[in-house]
Amino acid sequence: MNRVFAVTVNNHTGVLNRITGLFLRRDFNIQSITVGATETEGISRMTIVLNVDDERVTEQVVKQLYKQIDVLKVQDITDIPTVARELVLIRVNSPLATRSELTTLIDPFRASIIDVSRDSVTIQAVGSPEKVEALIFLLQPYGIKELARTGVTAVQRANEAGEAGRPSRNFVLSI
Amino acid sequence: MVKTKAEPRSLSGAQMLVEALKQENVKLIFGYPGGAVLPIYDALYQCGIPHILPRHEQGAIHAAEGYARVTGKTGVVIATSGPGATNLVTGLADAMMDSLPLVVITGQVGTQVIGTDAFQEASVLGITMPVTKHNYQVRDVNQLPRVIKEAFHIANTGRPGPVLIDIPKDVTQTAAPFDYSTAMKLPGYQPTLTPNRLQIRKVAAAIRTSERPVILAGAGILHAKANPELLEFVNRTQIPVAHTLLGLGGLPASHPLFLGMAGMHGTVAANTALYEADLVINIGARFDDRVTGNLEHFARGATVVHVDIDPAEIGKNVPTDIPVVGDAKQAMEMLLAENLTVTNADSWRTYLDNLKNEYPLWYINSDEELKPQKLIELVAEVTSGEAVVVTDVGQHQMWAAQFYPFEHPHRFVTSGGLGTMGFGLPAAIGAQLGNRDGTVVALLGDGGFQMTMQELALLVDYKLPVKVVVVNNGSLGMVRQWQELFFGGRYSESLLQTGPDFVKLAEAFGIPGFRVTTFDEAREVLGRELQCEGPVVIDCRVTPGENVFPMVPTGKGLHEMVGVKP
């Protein structure tokens, strides 16, 4: 199954390389990885999706990440309420005759056309990975000319009090 | 007049490095100069810290490993950019696997040309990332003091390991204020040293109810200098101890509860203990596959306690029932405070004792040939078991682990995790430099010796009385053994047909060389030459077809040993 990890790291040169290199040599298979700056200067956040079945592998991933000097915090946010989104850009064949059909089709996905040429349009959609998958599936018959997905990025959902939801599964290392 | 704090003095990057090494109390540097580190070597000139020049960068880093192993201090290595740095990779991987503290400085091409495939440029940061605990490239001279300080801190705290600092040439030539007193901020690096008391209580409870307990003692005991506590703990609880290869010397080999080495070439007593135990207490070992054999059969009925300073080692290979993250010494101290008494395991101890007597390590003696095992026993006899024994990798390494009785910690220097051939001679040089007055015996196979034999020059250069004992069987012995046992005796490329004349080789370097072919000759020459002051090379022509037994074949469990009896 897919597990989602939120990893806070120092924003240094090569840190992404450290993390992906670690995954390569430890044989952890990355589904997607997104990185960007956070509200704190000098600190970035990665959202890493891994396909792992085994609880022990999950534990190893977290522990190995913590061994990196530049990793500040690792959270397995798979089982807690999160808001997870992915951006996809799809350039799809769209002769004039099918254009209105296409518009109707993508409407329920709250996707939008952001670029138009004579034979194709570029569609932008934001949503859960499942929603993105569904949209791609529906657009396939038209002929996808180009496709780019960002991978998932996620944050914890706030609860009603406005605070972050119940604490995520922080691995306490001094077990 | 208002008194202002004195401005820190301005130094070039190279001068900063030397100043920082002094402040880190570095007593010895191993290195090899080259274009990109010329400013550093200029700053080192007459700086007061002795520098050891090997004949190859690999020699420098293995020597630093040997030095770190016997002294517990951080070894410092300098190499130039590109080929100098890539020649260090094997040593970095070796130090990483065996948790040895090193700070490695590599030169880099100037910042203006990084990324242009400049002369002697290699992406050292990228190349060494998987084989270092951490690495840095310093692009701004103002960062240099902080980085050096962090590097030493990271290398020798927590689980020790090699840290590399890559410094572009122009950074070493640029001047900036030098201040080494700044506080270190490493929020992502906070090793847990003190174990959780609750977990320690669980361990104590498990010990109280155990009837078949065994301790697996690894190198973590030695790194933490926890051997007195281990001895006290074993005396108090009477729990038998199996050692890993790198843990040898943790408990004196003469101790009645010492079961010997566990694993692939371990003793029947140690392996049976791990297989049949109801409680395995691993202190400072990482459950390497050479120790556990097939994991399916490892400690199946046992409660597993794992004490390790590196949380990632716990549960990595063997599921752990009671994890204890922390320093081995602190863990042992806390366990001692639990006031445990002799464990209820009398029949277990008797059983293991009988196994020790019934299945001792063995070899078939011969008067005609020089048996390698008997040669190791002879070395032990001649050195009264008090030498620092440095080995290369292969059969002779296993025989040394089996037949040399290690009574003290830090007396066995060997490449465990990576199994690096060529390690032995340079590591012995580092060991002798770290232990000037001790007897250092370099036990080398003829294969491994030929990988780094150019370092013999250092024995003369630095007047190091290393006793090189070549266990010469004219082959890559362990490869030959595997081909004999598992590949139908097809000795593909494992026989060294045309070895050099090691006696003449030694003499070419200005070192006395001897050749012995019988035990009597060996006794006479070793007895005489190991007492002499200077270095010596003794080419010992041992029985060529001898194998290391007993053995757990790969893929088998510890209970499936072969060759346990003649």
Side-chain angles (χ1 to χ4, degrees), chain B residues 131-213:
Chain B
V131 291
T132 50
K133 186 172 172 184
H134 193 54
N135 62 8
Y136 297 90
Q137 187 175 65
V138 185
R139 296 241 184 172
D140 174 359
V141 69
N142 291 297
Q143 304 295 325
L144 196 55
R146 173 186 63 82
V147 167
I148 299 170
K149 202 168 187 181
E150 286 182 9
F152 274 91
H153 176 67
I154 292 169
N156 62 22
T157 53
R159 179 180 180 175
V163 180
L164 180 138
I165 311 171
D166 195 40
I167 315 178
K169 188 172 185 181
D170 55 320
V171 173
T172 61
Q173 291 169 308
T174 311
F178 175 75
D179 182 3
Y180 206 60
S181 62
T182 46
M184 220 173 336
K185 275 185 237 140
L186 287 169
Y189 179 71
Q190 305 290 334
T192 305
L193 299 179
T194 309
N196 183 307
R197 172 129 350 243
L198 211 67
Q199 294 302 104
I200 292 288
R201 288 211 182 110
K202 281 190 200 164
V203 178
I207 291 172
R208 283 192 186 99
T209 55
S210 166
E211 290 176 357
R212 298 187 308 279

Side-chain angles (χ1 to χ4, degrees), chain B residues 13 301 322 420 426:
Chain B
I322 310 176
T420 306

Side-chain angles (χ1 to χ4, degrees), chain A residues 10 12-15 17-18 25-26 56 59-60 63-64 66-72 173-175, chain B residues 129-130 134-135 154 159 186-189 192 196 199 310-312 314-319 323 325:
Chain A
N10 286 326
H12 291 164
T13 324
V15 173
N17 194 3
R18 279 183 205 286
R25 63 180 183 272
R26 295 282 172 190
R56 270 176 66 195
E59 192 183 315
Q60 262 301 300
K63 287 174 165 178
Q64 291 294 340
Y66 264 122
K67 274 180 81 166
Q68 296 293 322
I69 311 286
D70 281 319
V71 169
L72 305 173
L173 290 181
S174 51
I175 4 179
Chain B
M129 224 172 247
H134 193 54
N135 62 8
I154 292 169
R159 179 180 180 175
L186 287 169
Y189 179 71
T192 305
N196 183 307
Q199 294 302 104
D310 180 357
I314 295 175
K316 187 183 78 178
N317 298 335
V318 173
V325 177

Side-chain angles (χ1 to χ4, degrees), chain A residues 90 92 94 98-104 106-107 110-117 120-125:
Chain A
I90 312 165
V92 64
S94 169
T98 64
R99 193 152 298 175
S100 63
E101 182 188 324
L102 202 60
T103 316
T104 319
I106 65 169
D107 199 40
R110 275 182 280 172
S112 50
I113 292 173
I114 58 168
D115 187 44
V116 182
S117 75
S120 68
V121 296
T122 301
I123 294 161
Q124 166 192 291

Side-chain angles (χ1 to χ4, degrees), chain B residues 276-329:
Chain B
E276 294 183 10
D278 66 356
L279 176 64
V280 172
I281 307 165
N282 172 350
I283 310 169
R286 57 189 178 83
F287 283 130
D288 179 84
D289 55 271
R290 280 291 190 275
V291 165
T292 62
N294 187 335
L295 284 171
E296 227 175 279
H297 304 292
F298 183 76
R300 275 214 301 202
T303 299
V304 175
V305 173
H306 192 170
V307 181
D308 206 302
I309 199 159
D310 180 357
E313 287 304 335
I314 295 175
K316 187 183 78 178
N317 298 335
V318 173
T320 303
D321 301 290
I322 310 176
V324 180
V325 177
D327 174 75
K329 195 178 184 80

Side-chain angles (χ1 to χ4, degrees), chain A residues 141-160:
Chain A
Y142 295 88
I144 293 174
K145 294 168 83 76
E146 209 176 343
L147 185 149
R149 296 172 72 158
T150 57
V152 181
T153 188
V155 291
Q156 288 182 50
R157 246 178 223 287
N159 66 14
E160 278 159 13

